[in-house]
Coordinates of all heavy atoms in Angstrom, one line a residue:
G1 N 0.8 -1.2 0.0 CA 0.0 0.0 0.0 C 0.9 1.2 0.0 O 2.0 1.2 -0.5
T2 N 0.4 2.3 0.6 CA 1.0 3.6 0.5 C 2.4 3.5 1.2 O 2.6 3.0 2.3 CB 0.2 4.6 1.3 OG1 -1.1 4.7 0.6 CG2 0.8 6.0 1.3
A3 N 3.4 4.1 0.5 CA 4.8 4.1 1.0 C 5.3 5.5 0.5 O 6.0 5.6 -0.5 CB 5.6 3.1 0.4
M4 N 5.0 6.5 1.3 CA 5.4 7.9 1.0 C 6.5 8.4 1.9 O 6.5 7.9 3.1 CB 4.2 8.8 1.0 CG 3.2 8.5 -0.1 SD 3.9 8.9 -1.7 CE 2.5 8.7 -2.7
G5 N 7.2 9.3 1.5 CA 8.3 10.0 2.4 C 9.1 9.0 3.0 O 9.8 8.2 2.4
G6 N 9.1 8.9 4.4 CA 9.9 8.0 5.1 C 9.6 6.5 4.8 O 10.5 5.7 4.9
G7 N 8.4 6.2 4.4 CA 8.0 4.9 4.0 C 8.7 4.5 2.7 O 9.2 3.4 2.5
C8 N 8.8 5.4 1.8 CA 9.5 5.2 0.5 C 11.0 5.1 0.8 O 11.7 4.2 0.3 CB 9.3 6.4 -0.4 SG 10.2 6.3 -2.0
E9 N 11.6 5.9 1.7 CA 13.0 5.8 2.0 C 13.3 4.5 2.7 O 14.4 3.9 2.4 CB 13.4 7.0 2.9 CG 13.4 8.3 2.1 CD 13.8 9.5 2.8 OE1 13.1 9.8 3.9 OE2 14.7 10.1 2.4
L10 N 12.4 4.0 3.5 CA 12.6 2.7 4.2 C 12.7 1.6 3.1 O 13.5 0.8 3.1 CB 11.5 2.4 5.1 CG 11.5 1.1 5.9 CD1 12.7 1.0 6.8 CD2 10.2 0.9 6.7
A11 N 11.8 1.7 2.1 CA 11.8 0.7 1.0 C 13.0 0.8 0.2 O 13.6 -0.2 -0.2 CB 10.5 0.9 0.1
L12 N 13.5 2.1 0.0 CA 14.7 2.2 -0.8 C 16.0 1.6 -0.1 O 16.9 1.3 -0.8 CB 15.0 3.7 -1.1 CG 14.0 4.4 -2.1 CD1 14.3 5.9 -2.2 CD2 14.2 3.7 -3.5
A13 N 15.9 1.5 1.2 CA 17.0 1.0 2.0 C 17.1 -0.5 1.9 O 18.1 -1.2 2.2 CB 17.0 1.4 3.4
C14 N 16.0 -1.1 1.4 CA 15.9 -2.6 1.2 C 16.6 -3.0 -0.1 O 16.8 -2.3 -1.0 CB 14.5 -3.0 1.2 SG 13.6 -2.7 2.8
D15 N 17.0 -4.3 -0.1 CA 17.7 -4.8 -1.3 C 16.7 -5.0 -2.5 O 17.0 -4.9 -3.6 CB 18.4 -6.2 -1.0 CG 19.4 -6.0 0.1 OD1 20.4 -5.2 -0.2 OD2 19.3 -6.6 1.1
F16 N 15.5 -5.4 -2.1 CA 14.4 -5.7 -3.1 C 13.1 -5.0 -2.7 O 12.8 -4.9 -1.5 CB 14.2 -7.2 -3.2 CG 15.4 -8.0 -3.7 CD1 16.1 -8.6 -2.7 CD2 15.7 -8.1 -5.0 CE1 17.3 -9.4 -3.1 CE2 16.9 -8.8 -5.4 CZ 17.6 -9.4 -4.4
R17 N 12.4 -4.5 -3.7 CA 11.1 -3.9 -3.4 C 10.1 -4.5 -4.3 O 10.2 -4.5 -5.5 CB 11.2 -2.4 -3.7 CG 12.1 -1.6 -2.6 CD 12.6 -0.3 -3.1 NE 13.6 -0.4 -4.2 CZ 14.9 -0.7 -4.0 NH1 15.3 -1.1 -2.8 NH2 15.7 -0.8 -5.0
Y18 N 9.0 -5.0 -3.7 CA 7.9 -5.6 -4.4 C 6.6 -4.9 -4.0 O 6.4 -4.8 -2.9 CB 7.8 -7.1 -4.1 CG 9.0 -7.9 -4.6 CD1 10.0 -8.3 -3.7 CD2 9.1 -8.3 -5.9 CE1 11.1 -9.0 -4.2 CE2 10.2 -9.0 -6.4 CZ 11.2 -9.3 -5.5 OH 12.3 -10.0 -5.9
I19 N 5.9 -4.5 -5.0 CA 4.6 -3.8 -4.8 C 3.5 -4.8 -5.0 O 3.5 -5.4 -6.1 CB 4.4 -2.5 -5.6 CG1 5.6 -1.5 -5.2 CG2 3.1 -1.9 -5.4 CD1 5.5 -0.2 -6.0
A20 N 2.5 -4.9 -4.1 CA 1.4 -5.8 -4.2 C 0.6 -5.6 -5.5 O 0.5 -4.4 -5.9 CB 0.5 -5.7 -3.0
K21 N 0.1 -6.7 -6.0 CA -0.7 -6.5 -7.2 C -1.9 -5.7 -6.8 O -2.5 -5.8 -5.7 CB -1.2 -8.0 -7.6 CG -2.0 -7.9 -8.9 CD -2.3 -9.4 -9.3 CE -2.9 -9.3 -10.7 NZ -3.1 -10.7 -11.2
G22 N -2.3 -4.8 -7.7 CA -3.4 -3.9 -7.3 C -2.8 -2.6 -6.8 O -3.5 -1.6 -6.7
G23 N -1.5 -2.6 -6.6 CA -0.8 -1.4 -6.4 C -0.6 -0.9 -5.0 O -1.0 -1.5 -4.0
G24 N 0.0 0.2 -5.0 CA 0.4 0.9 -3.8 C 1.0 2.2 -4.3 O 1.4 2.2 -5.5
R25 N 0.9 3.2 -3.6 CA 1.6 4.4 -4.0 C 2.9 4.6 -3.3 O 3.0 4.4 -2.1 CB 0.7 5.6 -3.6 CG -0.7 5.6 -4.4 CD -1.5 6.8 -4.0 NE -0.8 7.7 -3.1 CZ -1.2 8.9 -2.8 NH1 -2.3 9.4 -3.3 NH2 -0.5 9.6 -2.0
I26 N 3.9 4.9 -4.1 CA 5.2 5.1 -3.5 C 5.8 6.3 -4.1 O 5.7 6.7 -5.2 CB 6.1 3.8 -3.8 CG1 7.5 4.0 -3.1 CG2 6.3 3.6 -5.3 CD1 8.3 2.7 -3.1
G27 N 6.5 7.1 -3.2 CA 7.1 8.4 -3.7 C 7.6 9.3 -2.6 O 7.5 9.0 -1.4
L28 N 8.1 10.4 -3.0 CA 8.7 11.4 -2.1 C 8.0 12.7 -2.4 O 8.5 13.6 -3.1 CB 10.2 11.5 -2.3 CG 11.0 10.2 -2.1 CD1 12.4 10.3 -2.7 CD2 11.1 9.9 -0.6
P29 N 6.8 12.8 -1.9 CA 5.9 14.0 -2.2 C 6.6 15.4 -1.7 O 6.3 16.4 -2.3 CB 4.6 13.8 -1.5 CG 4.9 12.8 -0.4 CD 6.1 12.0 -0.9
E30 N 7.5 15.3 -0.7 CA 8.1 16.5 -0.2 C 8.8 17.3 -1.3 O 9.0 18.5 -1.2 CB 8.9 16.3 1.0 CG 10.0 15.2 0.9 CD 9.6 13.8 1.1 OE1 8.5 13.4 0.7 OE2 10.4 13.1 1.8
V31 N 9.4 16.6 -2.3 CA 10.1 17.3 -3.3 C 9.3 18.3 -4.2 O 9.8 19.2 -4.7 CB 10.9 16.3 -4.2 CG1 11.9 15.5 -3.4 CG2 10.0 15.4 -5.0
R32 N 8.0 18.0 -4.2 CA 7.1 18.9 -4.9 C 7.0 20.3 -4.4 O 6.6 21.2 -5.1 CB 5.6 18.3 -5.0 CG 5.6 17.1 -5.8 CD 4.1 16.7 -5.9 NE 4.1 15.2 -6.2 CZ 3.0 14.5 -5.9 NH1 2.0 15.0 -5.4 NH2 3.1 13.2 -6.1
V33 N 7.3 20.4 -3.1 CA 7.3 21.7 -2.5 C 8.7 22.2 -2.1 O 8.9 23.1 -1.3 CB 6.3 21.7 -1.2 CG1 4.9 21.5 -1.6 CG2 6.8 20.7 -0.2
G34 N 9.7 21.6 -2.7 CA 11.1 22.1 -2.5 C 11.7 21.6 -1.3 O 12.7 22.2 -0.8
I35 N 11.3 20.6 -0.7 CA 11.9 20.1 0.6 C 12.6 18.8 0.3 O 12.1 17.9 -0.4 CB 10.8 19.7 1.7 CG1 10.0 21.0 2.0 CG2 11.4 19.1 2.9 CD1 8.8 20.7 2.9
L36 N 13.9 18.7 0.7 CA 14.7 17.5 0.5 C 14.1 16.4 1.4 O 13.7 16.6 2.5 CB 16.2 17.7 0.9 CG 16.9 18.7 0.0 CD1 18.3 18.9 0.6 CD2 17.0 18.1 -1.4
P37 N 14.1 15.2 0.9 CA 13.7 14.0 1.7 C 14.6 13.9 2.9 O 15.8 14.1 2.8 CB 13.9 12.8 0.8 CG 13.8 13.4 -0.6 CD 14.4 14.8 -0.5

C-alpha cells in the first residue's frame, strides 16, 4: 500500500522492493514543495 516519504525511503534501503498486485503508491511528495527528503 502507501509508501510515501519515510516509507519510501525505508523501502529504498531494502535490497528488493515488491509492490502488491493492485498497487500501492510510492514516492517522495516533499520534493514537490522544494523540501529535501
Side-chain angles (χ1 to χ4, degrees):
T2 301
M4 294 293 186
C8 176
E9 291 180 301
L10 179 66
L12 289 173
C14 298
D15 298 301
F16 301 96
R17 290 158 291 284
Y18 295 97
I19 297 179
K21 189 173 184 174
R25 294 178 7 165
I26 184 167
L28 299 166
E30 55 270 46
V31 300
R32 292 187 206 156
V33 293
I35 300 172
L36 292 174

